[in-house]
Amino acid sequence: MEHLAIQLVVAIICAHIANILIPRRIPGRFLGLLLTGLVGVWLGEVVFKLLKDHGINNEILHWGILGVPFIPSMIGSIIVLLIVTTVFHRSRYI
């Protein structure tokens, strides 16, 4: 339960930073921001585990809050933000 609470906090922070770095309108406002962040955290954790399994072990990848890696979660949130906003932007004109 504690890990999920930390994931929620990191998700909100990462999605907000991703939205600042890539200024696009996220559909759903706060709920969309939260879902973008959660999927980004999940994606970041999966990629982080895959990199560790393949021997890529960088100190920057270990920065995190109570077991939730911050840098991979940030990168995951940026990727999810780009995908979601591109899909929703294109669907308006189709």
Side-chain angles (χ1 to χ4, degrees), residues 10 48 58-73:
V10 171
F48 177 68
N58 194 340
E59 289 298 321
I60 294 175
L61 295 177
H62 289 284
W63 292 351
I65 302 170
L66 296 176
V68 180
F70 190 75
I71 301 297
S73 299

Side-chain angles (χ1 to χ4, degrees), residues 77-92:
S77 294
I78 289 172
I79 291 169
V80 172
L81 175 72
L82 286 171
I83 291 171
V84 167
T85 55
T86 300
V87 167
F88 277 100
H89 179 71
R90 288 181 188 238
S91 68
R92 285 188 211 165

Side-chain angles (χ1 to χ4, degrees), residues 4-87:
L4 180 63
I6 298 300
Q7 282 182 329
L8 286 172
V9 170
V10 171
I12 292 170
I13 292 169
C14 287
H16 187 66
I17 292 172
N19 198 20
I20 290 171
L21 293 174
I22 302 169
R24 293 186 175 188
R25 174 175 273 166
I26 297 175
R29 308 224 185 226
F30 181 74
L31 184 61
L33 186 75
L34 180 64
L35 289 175
T36 300
L38 281 174
V39 174
V41 167
W42 174 79
L43 181 65
E45 286 183 343
V46 169
V47 171
F48 177 68
K49 287 178 185 175
L50 286 174
L51 289 175
K52 269 178 56 176
D53 291 344
H54 290 292
I56 299 172
N57 201 5
N58 194 340
E59 289 298 321
I60 294 175
L61 295 177
H62 289 284
W63 292 351
I65 302 170
L66 296 176
V68 180
F70 190 75
I71 301 297
S73 299
M74 185 72 227
I75 294 169
S77 294
I78 289 172
I79 291 169
V80 172
L81 175 72
L82 286 171
I83 291 171
V84 167
T85 55
T86 300
V87 167

